[in-house]
Amino acid sequence: MAEFVFTKLAESVLSQTVERISELLMQEAASLKSVRDDVVLLQDELRSLKGFVKDADSKQEHDLRLRELVRQVKDVASDAEDVIENYIHEVASSYIKAFHNKSVRAQISFVRERIKVIISSMQIYGIASVAAGEAGTSSSMAELQRSLRRSSPNEEDKDLISLDESTRALTEELTKEEDQLCIVSVVGMGGLGKTTLAKKVFKNVKHRFDTAAWVFLSQRFVPKDVFIEILTQILGKDKIEKLNALKEHHLIELLKEELKEKRYLVVLDDIWTIAAWDSIKLAFPQGKKGSKLLFTTRNREVATSADPSSSPVEPRVLKVEESWELLQRKAFPRGGCRPEFKELGMEMAQKCGGLPLAVIVLGGLLSTKSLLDEWKRVLGDVKSYMNKVQSHQQYEGVNEILALSYYDLPYYLKPCFLYLGNFPEDSEMHKRQLVRLWIGEGFIPTLTTSGDTKQRSKEQVAEGYLEELIRRCMVQVDEGDDTGISGVKTCPMHDLMRDMCTSKAREENFAQIIQQNSTWIDGATITALFKYEDLMDKQQSIRSIFLHRAQSCTLLFEFFY
Ligand SMILES: Nc1ncnc2c1ncn2[C@@H]1O[C@H](COP(=O)(O)OP(=O)(O)O)[C@@H](O)[C@H]1O
Ligand SMILES: [Mg+2]
């Protein structure tokens, strides 16, 4: 399977390079005028190379030599792009154009030679060229464009299945009138629906409390940030600057003071360890009668050790019929599942082990497949993945289904998706910012709508990409955003999806995340970063560097191509 993924990414890199070069030929026509013929020839060769990569893909050879060839394809595609972009840059800042012309011609011809060598090695290897569109699973641009006209991606609320029982149980726990502060917990594995249940009940009961706050705890949360977040929700956003300036012990005192005379509800979403609770518990006083802390956690012990009297609520897994119901809603968002799909669908629903996350992601994937044969292929893929993991944990399958949703992405969405992994777990990914970053990275081609020649702006195309990721349930949308993509402001990702995303980004050598927990990187000595030992040893080139600064730590992101 690794080779399969590998060739898919190579295909994706190649397609992007070809598109990028087309764009440059149009946009930079003046700069490229004198070397236009060379660039066009290079582009043609890259196109034919793509045909070979598609065949390598369909052969799914498990062979080191093939793997090496595909690696060379990725390299040559990146080099081709670099050569042209560097040339444009140099010409723009130079008077002696002719000097650069000669050198770029030599470089292009060198890249073309390399492509020829790769193609002939592939031919020796029995790999033939496949016409574009014949092989592979990537959905076409036209399909994407059809999808852009579909309705709102967010139908989360009305899609909820079988939550009545646990909603009742949780509401009852949260509204009990105990004298003591009580810890209520929702427990279960990732993707079971803990956050979904907690959100639903939180909405319904928060008016019964004097004050209520919801905070998500990432695996590497910083206590100070948690206190600031809760206080901001209680005191209002305009206090944030003042709060930022306070020391941690002052924040604890302030929070205690705010809560102690109130009947309060604070949700700590996704608390992983007892140590995590120990690091923040001082800030939560007894409060008034009926005050509650709600934990959602994968670890039952966290809640029972924090409050031995707490009785956890565990959302149950979906029954096969319920999974099928949910799968249908996601796969056919406008209804109208045809009867011949039912048998295959039920079989796939069963493979999801009753886990809503697995069901919705598989449903999102199936929503892009309208033919019975395509469903059969997806079922085949699901089975082959599951067989590999049968001996492992009961629910290991969810990771396989998440990975399947990645493999199925069309080439133009792969880099956009991998890019998302570079936002920290607890950061808000803003649509506007994301769209600009994607454009800046060159992931978004200039697209012409089929049928007419109206140009869509890059922003619109990028929003369309995001919409497709949302429709595939790989990115979530905040509740209440029911006005389609234009209403989406932030785009959270389930943490299991994010884990898959970052691990794929690492595997594909697309991005690396370096976490600086203990060392503060001084802005003035940023060049010191480049002395970072492993960094330059391992990587030949760096495309972008991201620095994310949380309240109390600095995260550094590197993107390598
Ligand atoms: N009962 C349900 N019906 C439909 N979809 C659900 C249900 N429970 C969870 N989901 C969906 O599954 C995904 C994962 O749920 P989430 O609550 O984030 O899981 P957890 O917090 O347990 O990791 C979410 O996208 C959510 O919309
Ligand atoms: Mg959760």
Side-chain angles (χ1 to χ4, degrees):
M1 186 48 69
E3 281 74 10
F4 170 64
V5 180
F6 201 61
T7 49
K8 279 270 159 229
L9 199 87
E11 188 192 330
S12 150
V13 171
L14 269 178
S15 300
Q16 282 204 321
T17 304
V18 170
E19 267 165 29
R20 177 87 186 119
I21 294 177
S22 302
E23 256 181 66
L24 291 174
L25 281 170
M26 272 191 295
Q27 290 165 4
E28 305 285 341
S31 310
L32 289 174
K33 197 169 158 211
S34 48
V35 292
R36 191 185 157 81
D37 290 348
D38 302 72
V39 176
V40 170
L41 282 174
L42 172 64
Q43 193 186 24
D44 287 347
E45 248 135 46
L46 285 165
R47 270 204 195 101
S48 41
L49 186 55
K50 204 172 125 188
F52 285 91
V53 172
K54 274 181 186 286
D55 189 41
D57 180 1
S58 60
K59 285 200 160 50
Q60 291 187 31
E61 299 270 359
H62 290 246
D63 186 295
L64 279 177
R65 267 179 61 200
L66 179 61
R67 213 181 146 79
E68 176 50 32
L69 279 176
V70 175
R71 188 182 301 283
Q72 288 175 18
V73 170
K74 276 169 56 177
D75 288 349
V76 88
S78 316
D79 290 353
E81 208 175 316
D82 284 351
V83 165
I84 299 171
E85 284 187 342
N86 284 343
Y87 171 75
I88 292 170
H89 176 72
E90 278 161 8
V91 162
S93 55
S94 158
Y95 295 106
I96 342 168
K97 210 167 166 184
F99 168 77
H100 296 297
N101 288 351
K102 201 170 161 202
S103 121
V104 78
R105 280 202 187 103
Q107 287 175 35
I108 291 179
S109 121
F110 180 58
V111 173
R112 287 180 54 204
E113 280 310 312
R114 281 168 59 200
I115 296 177
K116 281 183 195 144
V117 172
I118 298 175
I119 291 182
S120 57
S121 309
M122 285 188 160
Q123 280 167 329
I124 293 169
Y125 224 63
I127 291 169
S129 177
V130 174
E134 268 178 36
T137 58
S138 305
S139 50
S140 64
M141 284 283 179
E143 193 182 316
L144 170 68
Q145 292 184 341
R146 275 197 302 283
S147 81
L148 296 184
R149 291 178 212 119
R150 281 184 204 163
S151 59
S152 155
N154 185 9
E155 283 137 21
E156 224 58 82
D157 255 347
K158 64 177 187 301
D159 277 350
L160 293 185
I161 301 245
S162 89
L163 274 178
D164 292 351
E165 217 176 286
S166 32
T167 304
R168 252 194 310 278
L170 185 58
T171 310
E172 197 178 303
E173 288 295 324
L174 285 178
T175 48
K176 275 186 190 160
E177 287 280 329
E178 281 117 332
D179 292 334
Q180 298 278 320
L181 168 72
C182 281
I183 294 177
V184 177
S185 61
V186 180
V187 300
M189 65 158 309
L192 185 62
K194 301 179 295 296
T195 302
T196 307
L197 171 66
K199 262 189 194 165
K200 184 174 179 212
V201 176
F202 180 74
K203 256 197 199 161
N204 293 342
V205 302
K206 66 179 179 192
H207 66 272
R208 301 199 196 182
F209 294 83
D210 299 329
T211 190
W214 174 291
V215 60
F216 168 71
L217 303 186
S218 72
Q219 280 188 64
R220 293 187 184 86
F221 75 89
V222 179
K224 187 177 168 192
D225 298 345
V226 172
F227 304 140
I228 293 176
E229 176 63 34
I230 299 174
L231 280 163
T232 315
Q233 290 182 32
I234 296 175
L235 302 172
K237 280 206 166 124
D238 52 326
K239 301 283 185 305
I240 195 158
E241 262 182 44
K242 270 193 189 155
L243 293 171
N244 276 335
L246 294 179
K247 291 242 171 352
E248 189 172 317
H249 64 273
H250 286 134
L251 289 166
I252 294 178
E253 287 312 313
L254 187 57
L255 191 51
K256 268 165 68 180
E257 199 54 38
E258 277 301 321
L259 297 178
K260 76 174 189 213
E261 296 299 329
K262 290 189 180 130
R263 175 189 166 101
Y264 71 87
L265 168 64
V266 174
V267 183
L268 302 176
D269 185 28
D270 226 2
I271 181 161
W272 279 68
T273 58
I274 297 165
W277 167 239
D278 287 340
S279 70
I280 52 177
K281 66 182 179 191
L282 276 180
F284 301 101
Q286 283 300 316
K288 270 194 172 166
K289 198 173 169 178
S291 290
K292 295 282 180 329
L293 278 170
L294 172 59
F295 288 6
T296 79
T297 179
R298 290 170 206 197
N299 180 355
R300 190 178 288 264
E301 272 178 31
V302 177
T304 47
S305 86
D307 181 355
S309 66
S310 97
S311 49
V313 175
E314 184 166 0
R316 66 169 175 79
V317 292
L318 303 176
K319 294 177 188 150
V320 179
E321 297 76 35
E322 291 167 339
S323 297
W324 168 231
E325 176 63 35
L326 183 57
L327 190 77
Q328 268 185 88
R329 289 190 200 175
K330 293 290 171 188
F332 301 96
R334 294 165 159 193
C337 167
R338 294 202 302 279
E340 63 268 31
F341 285 81
K342 182 168 177 190
E343 199 181 321
L344 292 168
M346 286 283 269
E347 201 175 334
M348 282 191 256
Q350 199 205 352
K351 299 273 177 213
C352 295
L355 209 64
L357 179 68
V359 177
I360 65 162
V361 170
L362 192 58
L365 189 163
L366 289 170
S367 73
T368 64
K369 318 271 175 257
S370 54
L371 303 175
L372 202 61
D373 274 349
E374 291 176 312
W375 276 51
K376 281 186 188 152
R377 193 186 49 72
V378 175
L379 174 62
D381 286 348
V382 171
K383 279 184 179 163
S384 76
Y385 279 58
M386 294 297 193
N387 288 342
K388 282 188 202 148
V389 294
Q390 252 170 14
S391 52
H392 297 104
Q393 272 180 293
Q394 189 190 358
Y395 292 116
E396 186 92 345
V398 65
N399 294 328
E400 302 307 311
I401 287 177
L402 300 190
L404 191 61
S405 69
Y406 167 71
Y407 301 144
D408 188 73
L409 284 178
Y411 69 86
Y412 50 86
L413 284 181
K414 282 205 164 93
C416 296
F417 172 74
L418 292 182
Y419 202 74
L420 303 180
N422 299 294
F423 290 84
E425 205 186 338
D426 50 356
S427 76
E428 285 204 328
M429 214 158 36
H430 288 275
K431 182 183 79 178
R432 275 168 61 85
Q433 183 194 22
L434 181 64
V435 158
R436 285 176 188 180
L437 284 167
W438 279 352
I439 294 172
E441 292 290 345
F443 296 158
I444 310 294
T446 312
L447 202 72
T448 308
T449 50
S450 53
D452 65 4
T453 50
K454 204 173 127 234
Q455 289 283 314
R456 297 172 65 86
S457 73
K458 286 204 173 198
E459 279 79 5
Q460 285 170 316
V461 177
E463 285 193 358
Y465 284 12
L466 181 59
E467 189 170 345
E468 176 149 1
L469 288 173
I470 292 171
R471 192 159 55 85
R472 286 172 174 260
C473 300
M474 298 176 78
V475 173
Q476 300 167 327
V477 278
D478 283 337
E479 279 181 62
D481 294 323
D482 53 1
T483 47
I485 191 74
S486 57
V488 174
K489 289 209 171 56
T490 59
C491 348
M493 231 192 326
H494 192 276
D495 50 351
L496 289 182
M497 185 61 91
R498 188 178 177 279
D499 288 350
M500 185 275 283
C501 177
T502 50
S503 88
K504 291 285 166 254
R506 226 180 359 256
E507 267 172 36
E508 312 289 7
N509 206 19
F510 177 89
Q512 267 195 31
I513 298 174
I514 299 171
Q515 197 109 24
Q516 297 275 322
N517 269 340
S518 46
T519 335
W520 180 265
I521 299 169
D522 181 354
T525 57
I526 206 145
T527 45
L529 285 176
F530 298 101
K531 290 184 192 142
Y532 202 75
E533 270 177 15
D534 316 334
L535 202 66
M536 299 312 284
D537 290 349
K538 282 196 207 135
Q539 307 298 338
Q540 289 167 340
S541 57
I542 299 175
R543 176 83 171 234
S544 321
I545 298 180
F546 258 49
L547 286 163
H548 282 263
R549 179 166 297 177
Q551 297 288 338
S552 325
C553 66
T554 301
L555 304 176
L556 163 66
F557 292 89
E558 314 275 347
F559 295 78
F560 300 111
Y561 283 75

